[in-house]
Amino acid sequence: MYTQLEQRGMPEPPVNVSTLRRMKTDGEPIACLTAYDASYAALVDAAHTDLVLVGDSLGMVIQGYDTTVPVTVDDIVYHSRIVARGLRRAFLVADMPFMSYTEPGQALDNAVRLMQEGGAMMVKLEGGDDQVGIVQHLARHDIPVCAHLGLKPQSVHKIGGFKVQGREPEQAKEMLASALRLQDAGADIVLVECVPNEAGRAITEALDVPVIGIGAGPDVDGQILVLYDILDITQGRTPRFVKNFQAGCTSPLEAAEAYVRAVKDRSYPAPEHCFS
Ligand code: KIV
């Protein structure tokens, strides 16, 4: 009993929420990537990625949509299940898709599916104050939650595009207040997307739980990028915070290792990947 999670034939035990908290306390950057299938999951795991997200970005990079809005719970369950088979050490988080967490009961049912059918260890949902009740409900049922703040891609049609958030002091203050409320409600991780460095730093300093950034500057507890972006597979314009790690590497594994190394030694993100 109690041994399965520690015995996957790895010299190191698998990452869990306590590992991530300890990394924040110790100031060890948390390297995170997305993955959508078993082969790439095994590859990013071998590269020593700490956290793997089955993001609803799969709607754009796998399914070819312009946004993440069309992605369904069935899609995430399927991709999470196949990613879980490829992982040995990394912590697996799965996205709650658009409109899958509007009511507490519905959110709980869908989160349970992502964990039971998809093998996820945590679910991620987008939202600020509006999601405090949902996070509370999930946390009360021992569902680990990552709350996604800043640019919320599921709200793209409401925002009017993929835009930097928190540039106005008032907006940055509100974002920080929301992050604190989400933590109090039971969020285990806060993810912040596309905000000025200062906003990323302020949230990271204020919170006890790990803060993962994507386009949130260098002063967060960890970084995440879309795997296909670092491998330079994504077509079209890439956001400012993306770095092509495939350049100069001879394999995708080498590129993923270069990314993990750059996050750990804090050479990524560089000033050209950041917003002010
Ligand atoms: O869907 C996704 O991949 C994400 C990351 C970009 C953070 O939410």
Side-chain angles (χ1 to χ4, degrees):
M1 237 185 109
Y2 299 146
T3 52
Q4 307 91 313
L5 281 173
E6 289 157 20
Q7 292 182 343
R8 292 189 203 152
M10 291 289 284
E12 271 186 277
V15 175
N16 59 36
V17 279
S18 308
T19 321
L20 299 171
R21 276 223 185 207
R22 197 257 313 141
M23 289 170 83
K24 174 172 178 118
T25 308
D26 293 352
E28 180 187 346
I30 303 167
C32 317
L33 280 171
T34 65
Y36 313 100
D37 68 31
S39 297
Y40 275 121
L43 184 147
V44 299
D45 193 283
H48 230 70
T49 305
D50 301 305
L51 181 155
V52 169
L53 170 70
V54 178
D56 59 0
S57 51
L58 70 85
M60 299 168 81
V61 299
I62 300 283
Q63 298 171 329
Y65 293 116
D66 288 336
T67 74
T68 59
V69 171
V71 176
T72 66
V73 174
D74 284 346
D75 292 335
I76 300 282
V77 165
Y78 170 77
H79 285 278
S80 185
R81 192 165 55 221
I82 61 179
V83 164
R85 289 191 203 124
L87 297 183
R88 290 154 71 92
R89 174 183 171 272
F91 187 73
L92 177 58
V93 181
D95 251 341
M96 304 276 291
F98 181 64
M99 290 297 140
S100 68
Y101 47 98
T102 56
E103 301 294 336
Q106 174 218 24
L108 183 60
D109 288 347
N110 286 326
V112 167
R113 284 199 64 200
L114 297 188
M115 293 184 77
Q116 287 193 323
E117 298 174 44
M121 298 156 182
M122 178 178 284
V123 299
K124 175 166 85 60
L125 51 80
E126 295 180 10
D129 282 0
D130 46 330
Q131 295 302 342
V132 164
I134 299 288
V135 170
Q136 221 158 32
H137 190 67
L138 296 179
R140 207 177 289 140
H141 289 85
D142 287 342
I143 307 271
V145 180
C146 170
H148 182 151
L149 288 173
L151 172 61
K152 295 174 280 179
Q154 290 172 14
S155 306
V156 62
H157 296 308
K158 184 78 175 168
I159 305 165
F162 298 106
K163 297 176 182 168
V164 180
Q165 303 293 305
R167 273 202 163 121
E168 301 303 323
E170 199 49 42
Q171 208 192 9
K173 230 168 90 182
E174 273 169 30
M175 206 184 293
L176 173 58
S178 296
L180 284 163
R181 278 188 212 108
L182 288 160
Q183 173 178 268
D184 289 348
D188 302 276
I189 295 182
V190 167
L191 186 147
V192 192
E193 177 163 356
C194 241
V195 299
N197 290 4
E198 212 180 306
R201 185 184 319 123
I203 293 173
T204 306
E205 283 173 359
L207 262 53
D208 296 323
V209 299
V211 176
I212 309 297
I214 173 164
D219 303 319
V220 288
D221 300 309
Q223 302 287 340
I224 186 162
L225 283 176
V226 168
L227 177 65
Y228 290 10
D229 286 347
I230 71 156
L231 297 181
D232 199 30
I233 292 172
T234 309
Q235 300 295 306
R237 192 183 72 86
T238 49
R240 179 185 171 91
F241 53 76
V242 167
K243 178 172 175 183
N244 170 7
F245 282 91
Q246 186 61 61
C249 291
T250 55
S251 69
L253 175 60
E254 251 185 60
E257 285 171 340
Y259 165 76
V260 171
R261 232 179 2 257
V263 171
K264 297 282 178 186
D265 69 18
R266 298 187 189 276
S267 54
Y268 174 82
E272 66 264 29
H273 306 120
C274 298
F275 302 105
S276 52

